[in-house]
Amino acid sequence: MGDLVPGETSLAPYAAHARDSRGRRHPEAEQPFRSIYQRDRDRIIHSTAFRRLEYKTQVFVNREGDHYRTRLTHTLEVAQIARSLARALNLNEDLAEAVALAHDLGHTPFGHSGESAMAELMAEHGGFEHNRQGLRVVDWLEQRYHAFPGLNLSYEVREAFARHTTQHDHPAAIEEFNLGAQPLLEVQVSIVADEIAYDNHDIDDGLASGILRESEVEALGLWQRAIAPLGSEYCRLSPHLRRAEGVRRLIHLLVSDVIETSRQTIARLRLTSAADVRFAPEKAIRFSKEVEPLKQELESFLKAKFYQHYRVIRMTKKAQRFLRELFAAYVEDPRLLPTDWQQLADKDGLHRAVCDYISGMTDRYAEEEYRKLFHPFERT
């Protein structure tokens, strides 16, 4: 890879250095002015799958409001937090950003409800999990280069799909990426950034939608800790500013806690190389013992009061019905698929091709396809 890599002159010894990358599946000459991870980031941003995230659900379907998070804005928030953490810890910002930008490329339309439906439909046909699907997207389904399929990303960014484990993500082990017990620190950073982003924007969107009550959120220990520096001034703010200040300060609290705790853990584990990171007995990027239970309280609250609210559940059930009926229609008669997807079915099997086609859809496109197939007066 060469010794002088753009943007990597001050990395910690335990960071992932581009010069040490395991490279790409299809060999390419790298560029002198962009590292391998910078090129990965740019390829991800220019991909079709990345643009589609704008119209994929985070919690609320895109058309329910202009100000709710979409899968794309969630991804951008994750990338911003990941860069902040990586910079503070002298890690490879470019790798952390690329991983963050790619982490949801395999998501179905309609968020986790769509993933649940697809996993059920594919249970006897190889299964479905959005991280593994994201790897399939970047390895095979994106078609942007004449010399190879997919985006031909670096091993380290591809590995991150198999290592992205949160309360919502449980990818099965992939033998290719069995290099040690722990992910690289940049991957660990992106995982924590994902958790910080969705906890905070779901509180924000939940309050904005009226599903969550301000008094309930204010009773949470983490929220109380975040707004404590405001004192009595908090009560004099408008509801909008109370929400904005609370979320902003909560992000700052969590990011600061992760940075300080991770520095201490890195020192305690005596990490001196990326190899040390991989074979460490525990993850180094983490929340403190004081903050972790408060974060778990917040997430339990969101699950009970937000994700299980009847308005969210109604959309969940509707979305799952869309996808089940679309899936059944395409499997029953593959001629309903566009020609290139029929060709993929001949190559990879009908159920996998239908899964790839549907999981790549935006919410809007899935709804349009549903109308075209099942509404008799809709143009096809």
Side-chain angles (χ1 to χ4, degrees):
M1 296 296 301
D3 292 329
L4 297 178
V5 180
E8 296 192 4
T9 56
S10 61
L11 295 185
Y14 42 75
H17 293 253
R19 64 175 179 268
D20 298 325
S21 172
R22 293 170 64 89
R24 306 184 187 277
R25 298 176 78 196
H26 307 280
E28 291 183 66
E30 295 300 332
Q31 297 179 343
F33 55 90
R34 285 189 301 167
S35 75
I36 189 171
Y37 302 137
Q38 289 173 316
R39 293 183 75 193
D40 284 352
R41 174 201 61 203
D42 297 346
R43 290 179 178 194
I44 291 160
I45 289 174
H46 286 279
S47 69
T48 302
F50 185 79
R51 291 195 298 275
R52 286 175 179 163
L53 296 177
E54 181 176 4
Y55 291 101
K56 289 194 174 189
T57 295
Q58 183 62 31
V59 174
F60 292 109
V61 176
N62 185 279
R63 57 178 165 72
E64 291 194 34
D66 293 339
H67 298 157
Y68 298 131
R69 268 66 170 195
T70 65
R71 191 63 59 177
L72 177 61
T73 57
H74 161 73
T75 295
L76 296 176
E77 290 181 34
V78 175
Q80 174 264 320
I81 294 170
R83 283 201 72 107
S84 295
L85 291 171
R87 180 171 297 185
L89 296 169
N90 288 93
L91 301 177
N92 195 315
E93 289 182 55
D94 297 323
L95 175 56
E97 182 182 33
V99 170
L101 291 172
H103 84 280
D104 271 351
L105 292 182
H107 250 296
T108 64
F110 307 116
H112 289 285
S113 62
E115 179 170 13
S116 296
M118 196 58 63
E120 173 191 310
L121 292 163
M122 290 295 293
E124 297 181 3
H125 306 284
F128 179 87
E129 195 277 332
H130 83 263
N131 289 290
R132 292 176 70 96
Q133 184 67 17
L135 186 59
R136 182 166 169 79
V137 168
V138 301
D139 280 354
W140 298 105
L141 298 180
E142 281 286 330
Q143 298 293 323
R144 304 189 67 83
Y145 301 92
H146 71 88
F148 47 76
L151 301 180
N152 200 28
L153 301 181
S154 68
Y155 176 93
E156 291 74 25
V157 173
R158 294 176 57 247
E159 178 190 25
F161 287 102
R163 300 285 194 145
H164 194 93
T165 304
T166 70
Q167 64 167 328
H168 297 299
D169 303 289
H170 305 283
I174 300 174
E175 184 63 28
E176 180 184 359
F177 305 114
N178 187 23
L179 284 182
Q182 308 300 341
L184 294 168
L185 292 184
E186 288 79 3
V187 178
Q188 295 183 37
V189 156
S190 74
I191 293 169
V192 169
D194 189 21
E195 295 176 356
I196 293 173
Y198 63 63
D199 282 351
N200 283 278
H201 63 50
D202 287 356
I203 286 283
D204 196 8
D205 285 351
L207 287 168
S209 68
I211 290 177
L212 298 182
R213 296 179 181 177
E214 190 175 16
S215 60
E216 294 175 322
V217 173
E218 290 172 345
L220 295 169
L222 203 55
W223 189 270
Q224 292 175 0
R225 186 165 174 170
I227 66 170
L230 278 171
S232 60
E233 184 181 355
Y234 175 80
C235 298
R236 294 194 292 270
L237 299 175
S238 68
H240 171 76
L241 282 179
R242 283 198 297 271
R243 186 176 86 240
E245 281 288 336
V247 170
R248 181 176 69 83
R249 290 170 182 270
L250 187 54
I251 293 173
H252 176 73
L253 185 159
L254 291 171
V255 169
S256 300
D257 182 75
V258 168
I259 290 169
E260 182 58 31
T261 306
S262 300
R263 283 174 176 164
Q264 295 173 6
T265 308
I266 288 168
R268 175 171 58 81
L269 294 174
R270 299 181 181 180
L271 303 180
T272 60
S273 68
D276 287 348
V277 172
R278 288 191 180 278
F279 293 97
E282 61 190 77
K283 288 184 172 65
I285 309 301
R286 59 174 59 203
F287 299 95
S288 68
K289 293 180 180 178
E290 295 75 29
V291 165
E292 181 63 40
L294 297 177
K295 176 176 171 289
Q296 291 177 2
E297 177 197 27
L298 182 151
E299 290 170 352
S300 296
F301 167 80
L302 283 170
K303 183 176 181 180
K305 298 292 185 178
F306 189 33
Y307 308 141
Q308 298 298 321
H309 191 273
Y310 78 89
R311 284 170 55 188
V312 177
I313 293 297
R314 282 182 177 181
M315 191 61 237
T316 294
K317 295 302 181 182
K318 186 190 301 185
Q320 291 176 340
R321 185 171 67 251
F322 282 167
L323 299 193
R324 289 189 187 107
E325 294 185 21
L326 283 174
F327 192 95
Y330 295 135
V331 168
E332 181 181 355
D333 190 347
R335 295 174 301 174
L336 296 174
L337 291 167
T339 303
D340 52 344
W341 292 97
Q342 292 182 39
Q343 294 170 351
L344 185 66
D346 292 337
K347 173 177 171 287
D348 291 349
L350 176 58
H351 289 84
R352 182 56 61 186
V354 171
C355 172
D356 289 339
Y357 183 47
I358 293 177
S359 63
M361 293 179 179
T362 63
D363 300 356
R364 182 171 60 182
Y365 187 78
E367 292 174 352
E368 289 175 355
E369 282 290 279
Y370 186 88
R371 286 194 295 270
K372 288 176 181 178
L373 291 180
F374 302 112
H375 292 194
F377 303 109
E378 189 75 19
R379 294 185 64 181
T380 59

